[in-house]
Amino acid sequence: MTRRSCSVYAVGIICALLMVVGVGLYVAQTFRTIMHNRLKKEIVLVEGSRVFASWKTPPPPVYMEFFFFNLTNMDEFLKGAKPVVNQIGPYTYREYRYKDNVTMMENDTLVSAYNIKSFVFLSDKSVGDPNVDAITTVNIPLWAVMNKLKGNYLKSFGVNLIISATKSDFFTTRTVNELLWGYEDPLLARLSSSSPEIDKIFGLMYKKNGTNSGEFVYQTGVQNYMDYGRVKTWKGQSQLTFWNSNISNSINGSDGSAFHPLLEKDERIYIFTPDLCRTIYMEYEKDVEVNGIPAYRFTPPRSVLASKEENPDNEGFCVTKDECLGTGLLKVSPCRKAAPVVASFPHFYLADDKFVEAIEGMSPVREQHQTFLDLNPTTGVIVRANKRAQINVLLSKLSGFAKTRTLKETVFPVMFLNESVVIDDASAARVQKLLLIVTLVSSFPLIIVGLGLIMLLVFIILLVRDRRQKNEVKRIVFTKPAYATSGDDNTSYCPVSDKEKDDPQNGTFIGLTPKADPQA
């Protein structure tokens, strides 16, 4: 076997090995599994991990926008007309958040923390001055007091006298700043003098600036990556007590700030939110891309706030059997000191049409009022999010309060908020670098297969060339040159003379002489 043949066969063997090894590794997903296992070990809530510092102090800026519904026909509404509202906003605040008093527990399998939030007003992103702009809306303290005392005729009689004395009405006009961060309500001030447990200050965001919503204990994900960021207890409880079923009282999922890596499209994302006093869930909607990072969009489906008829699991959220308001609404009075507060998505998005039609000025638009999370499926990192929720008040006839007799039951919109975040450039660059490493390592078998294909091409070229050379050798026929003698020739070559043979200028001359006859 020639050296060339050995080279051809060597290239063929290398090609076969690369192809077999590459395809085998790709089918077995060996390198992808190695990379995923590495991610599972690195994305944990433990000191020194890739994500711990950003979990404690999230780098991307968070913005909170507040939109108010201003009632424009108060007198007509009190006489039975449909309420007419116009939306005013946004009033935008930069939200600073961090986790305080972070403590590792039980061999780093659990971590406790308090979520601190503070707000700074941004005039350049707002429509006006919150200290000046006034909003006419529901007098929530009055309705909270009446709702708590309904049916108690003795106490309601005394409260009616205080309501008249303080000139409290069903609606009030207050500045945006008062409605958000608090004002002294005259009715609450009178009641607090005899009941110290009653706070005379009321505000939709009262005591929520620079404060926390209670201690959270999270699972770190060390034992199981699926438990990364999962809430184990809130305020020392692993189960809520506000609702009427174990399903409704369950504390499940994360707090919305961390999600496990390696997300799948067919899974549900659970989020426990103290603002709603419950766990909600989201489902995959579509693929998106944010700052060059691929992401899955998850959003709450209609079933989250569906009526008990549409979703029997929601029956436990009915305050009583007679207080199930219908699809799209959640009465949160059990965790709001019995105030008739109702939560929904903005403009009653995903709610029954009757709630939209009852208020002139409601126009739900999916792009503007949908809550969603855009999560990178490999790392679980939030690349964009919009949390949107609306605060409403249930207005209805209340026994013991004669002035409410003329009112129709109405879910009146007060305000909706939009809490948004988009990954910053520095964080996006880190995520892109990590994704590039994951892609390259996971694609290593394909690189091997690619090298195998290149070697296959080289093998084919060498094989073709080797075959051509062998065929050319077989076709060669050794024939005499034109000047060679033959048996039929009558001439022979001989030197003419010795002198000519030695002539340095003319060289050696060969003379052609007749061939001698051997028989002569």
Side-chain angles (χ1 to χ4, degrees):
M1 185 180 292
T2 64
R3 183 178 298 176
R4 183 182 299 276
S5 298
C6 289
S7 300
V8 173
Y9 285 117
V11 171
I13 293 171
I14 294 173
C15 167
L17 286 174
L18 289 174
M19 295 290 287
V20 171
V21 172
V23 172
L25 290 175
Y26 179 77
V27 172
Q29 296 291 304
T30 303
F31 283 89
R32 184 183 180 189
T33 302
I34 291 172
M35 204 63 226
H36 285 184
N37 288 337
R38 186 66 181 269
L39 285 173
K40 293 174 185 178
K41 291 181 180 179
E42 291 194 5
I43 301 181
V44 290
L45 296 180
V46 177
E47 288 282 3
S49 70
R50 284 181 176 270
V51 295
F52 194 68
S54 60
W55 175 75
K56 289 196 299 184
T57 308
V62 180
Y63 298 98
M64 180 71 88
E65 297 175 315
F66 297 99
F67 299 82
F68 290 86
F69 296 104
N70 183 57
L71 180 64
T72 60
N73 67 334
M74 180 176 64
D75 294 335
E76 291 80 1
F77 172 62
L78 292 175
K79 294 177 182 178
K82 179 190 290 189
V84 178
V85 300
N86 66 300
Q87 178 180 298
I88 300 177
Y91 295 90
T92 307
Y93 293 77
R94 170 73 186 272
E95 180 181 322
Y96 294 88
R97 51 169 67 187
Y98 66 94
K99 290 181 169 59
D100 190 28
N101 197 21
V102 178
T103 307
M104 303 306 301
M105 305 164 59
E106 298 186 15
N107 295 324
D108 291 347
T109 60
L110 299 175
V111 57
S112 65
Y114 291 85
N115 296 323
I116 309 296
K117 294 182 180 181
S118 58
F119 301 88
V120 177
F121 180 68
L122 301 177
S123 58
D124 59 322
K125 294 181 179 293
S126 304
V127 297
D129 187 348
N131 292 309
V132 176
D133 297 351
I135 305 294
T136 298
T137 187
V138 177
N139 188 346
I140 298 179
L142 171 64
W143 282 95
V145 170
M146 292 192 301
N147 194 75
K148 191 169 185 178
L149 298 178
K150 65 180 178 181
N152 189 327
Y153 293 98
L154 182 60
K155 289 185 177 181
S156 62
F157 177 77
V159 169
N160 274 313
L161 295 177
I162 298 175
I163 290 173
S164 298
T166 57
K167 298 181 180 180
S168 298
D169 207 344
F170 291 155
F171 292 88
T172 184
T173 300
R174 298 283 178 178
T175 66
V176 169
N177 199 57
E178 287 177 323
L179 290 174
L180 284 177
W181 308 112
Y183 63 92
E184 182 175 321
D185 181 76
L187 175 60
L188 295 180
R190 286 287 293 270
L191 293 175
S192 65
S193 61
S194 57
S195 302
E197 72 277 6
I198 297 177
D199 197 329
K200 61 183 178 181
I201 305 298
F202 170 79
L204 296 168
M205 296 291 290
Y206 178 53
K207 292 184 177 181
K208 291 186 178 181
N209 194 355
T211 61
N212 65 81
S213 56
E215 184 190 37
F216 281 84
V217 175
Y218 305 92
Q219 298 189 54
T220 62
V222 169
Q223 294 178 317
N224 186 345
Y225 81 98
M226 293 290 289
D227 292 332
Y228 167 73
R230 190 186 298 273
V231 177
K232 185 175 178 62
T233 62
W234 175 60
K235 292 184 176 180
Q237 297 178 318
S238 58
Q239 195 83 348
L240 301 175
T241 57
F242 303 126
W243 311 109
N244 300 317
S245 70
N246 290 332
I247 295 177
S248 301
N249 281 318
S250 65
I251 295 177
N252 196 10
S254 75
D255 65 347
S257 64
F259 298 90
H260 69 80
L262 308 179
L263 290 162
E264 300 290 343
K265 291 182 178 181
D266 60 352
E267 67 177 291
R268 275 183 172 179
I269 301 297
Y270 289 89
I271 301 173
F272 170 68
T273 167
D275 293 334
L276 293 178
C277 312
R278 62 163 290 185
T279 297
I280 66 169
Y281 55 84
M282 298 187 179
E283 295 177 347
Y284 169 82
E285 181 182 298
K286 62 181 179 179
D287 283 26
V288 295
E289 185 176 292
V290 181
N291 289 348
I293 301 173
Y296 293 164
R297 173 161 293 182
F298 288 86
T299 185
R302 178 182 169 92
S303 59
V304 170
L305 296 181
S307 65
K308 63 179 181 179
E309 289 77 21
E310 286 188 40
N311 184 1
D313 289 341
N314 286 344
E315 185 173 0
F317 292 115
C318 298
V319 179
T320 66
K321 291 183 178 180
D322 298 328
E323 292 186 87
C324 286
L325 300 178
T327 293
L329 304 180
L330 175 68
K331 190 174 183 181
V332 294
S333 56
C335 62
R336 290 292 180 268
K337 299 180 180 179
V341 177
V342 177
S344 70
F345 293 117
H347 285 250
F348 300 114
Y349 172 69
L350 294 182
D352 288 337
D353 292 338
K354 64 179 181 180
F355 300 113
V356 178
E357 295 167 356
I359 310 291
E360 188 172 329
M362 295 291 99
S363 54
V365 178
R366 178 172 167 271
E367 290 74 19
Q368 298 177 15
H369 305 136
Q370 180 189 49
T371 290
F372 65 83
L373 277 171
D374 292 341
L375 305 175
N376 175 252
T378 303
T379 61
V381 170
I382 300 172
V383 294
R384 180 171 54 198
N386 280 84
K387 173 187 173 183
R388 294 162 171 150
Q390 182 169 299
I391 297 173
N392 313 277
V393 173
L394 179 62
L395 308 182
S396 60
K397 299 175 183 178
L398 301 175
S399 57
F401 298 92
K403 289 185 178 180
T404 64
R405 292 176 183 173
T406 59
L407 294 178
K408 297 178 181 179
E409 183 172 286
T410 306
V411 180
F412 190 91
V414 176
M415 173 197 79
F416 84 81
L417 57 88
N418 177 27
E419 191 175 25
S420 62
V421 62
V422 178
I423 191 169
D424 61 296
D425 293 339
S427 300
R430 288 194 294 270
V431 173
Q432 289 171 342
K433 183 179 179 181
L434 179 59
L435 292 177
L436 179 61
I437 294 172
V438 171
T439 302
L440 289 177
V441 174
S442 300
S443 301
F444 190 69
L446 296 179
I447 297 175
I448 296 176
V449 172
L451 290 174
L453 292 174
I454 294 173
M455 295 300 291
L456 177 62
L457 181 61
V458 173
F459 172 70
I460 293 172
I461 293 172
L462 291 176
L463 192 63
V464 171
R465 290 181 62 183
D466 188 60
R467 287 288 181 87
R468 284 180 178 176
Q469 289 180 357
K470 288 182 179 179
N471 291 336
E472 287 177 0
V473 170
K474 291 180 180 180
R475 287 197 302 268
I476 293 176
V477 178
F478 292 94
T479 58
K480 289 176 286 188
Y483 56 82
T485 59
S486 65
D488 298 330
D489 289 341
N490 296 321
T491 59
S492 64
Y493 297 96
C494 65
V496 174
S497 66
D498 292 338
K499 183 178 179 181
E500 289 176 345
K501 179 169 45 175
D502 296 332
D503 189 348
Q505 293 182 350
N506 298 323
T508 301
F509 289 87
I510 299 175
L512 188 62
T513 58
K515 189 174 181 180
D517 189 355
Q519 295 180 355

